[in-house]
Amino acid sequence: EVQLVESGGGLVQAGGSLRLSCAGSGFTFDDYVIGWFRQAPGKEREGVSCISISDGSTYYGDSVKGRFTISSDNAKNTVYLQMNSLKPEDTAVYSCAAARYLSNWRVPTQYNYWGQGTQVTVSS
């Protein structure tokens, strides 16, 4: 059974940091691209970042570039999203997803598997 399990969300003050984790199982982790998405109430799902597990290539959305860092621990089948200098507008449910093939990492429908999401709330 394929599973993606997120953890690490919570409540933090503006300017603070959080590290999200996405643990994958039930599929060949190394063959996939892992993406992080977020969705705030009333807004569309937004691509935050992704990493190609096979070659380590990373991509970031413009709104998080320079503040967030994505990384992976392939031995643990886990991808991390280090979020620094958090802003209230970063408040959302953050979900990770796995894609076998991608032409556009920002498009949610290109991902095969999804986690359940973790809430991140940044207070002002």
Side-chain angles (χ1 to χ4, degrees):
E1 178 190 5
V2 173
Q3 279 194 316
L4 290 169
V5 180
E6 302 96 336
S7 60
L11 173 64
V12 65
Q13 289 189 330
S17 298
L18 282 174
R19 189 178 80 157
L20 304 184
S21 299
C22 171
S25 61
F27 62 101
T28 306
F29 198 71
D30 293 1
D31 290 344
Y32 281 74
V33 173
I34 305 296
W36 281 101
F37 288 79
R38 67 186 182 185
Q39 189 165 22
K43 294 190 176 181
E44 290 189 358
R45 184 171 284 176
E46 175 190 9
V48 174
S49 181
C50 80
I51 184 167
S52 170
I53 301 300
S54 62
D55 66 12
S57 300
T58 59
Y59 302 86
Y60 295 94
D62 290 341
S63 62
V64 306
K65 209 171 287 184
R67 300 188 297 124
F68 291 11
T69 303
I70 193 169
S71 62
S72 67
D73 184 336
N74 296 359
K76 296 183 178 179
N77 283 7
T78 300
V79 168
Y80 303 99
L81 186 68
Q82 178 66 42
M83 307 187 295
N84 298 330
S85 303
L86 282 161
K87 305 174 182 180
E89 51 263 45
D90 294 319
T91 296
V93 174
Y94 285 70
S95 301
C96 64
R100 184 69 178 86
Y101 301 105
L102 278 179
S103 58
N104 185 336
W105 73 270
R106 301 171 191 264
V107 177
T109 54
Q110 296 197 6
Y111 290 78
N112 306 101
Y113 309 117
W114 287 84
Q116 82 288 352
T118 185
Q119 177 70 46
V120 171
T121 303
V122 184
S123 64
S124 56

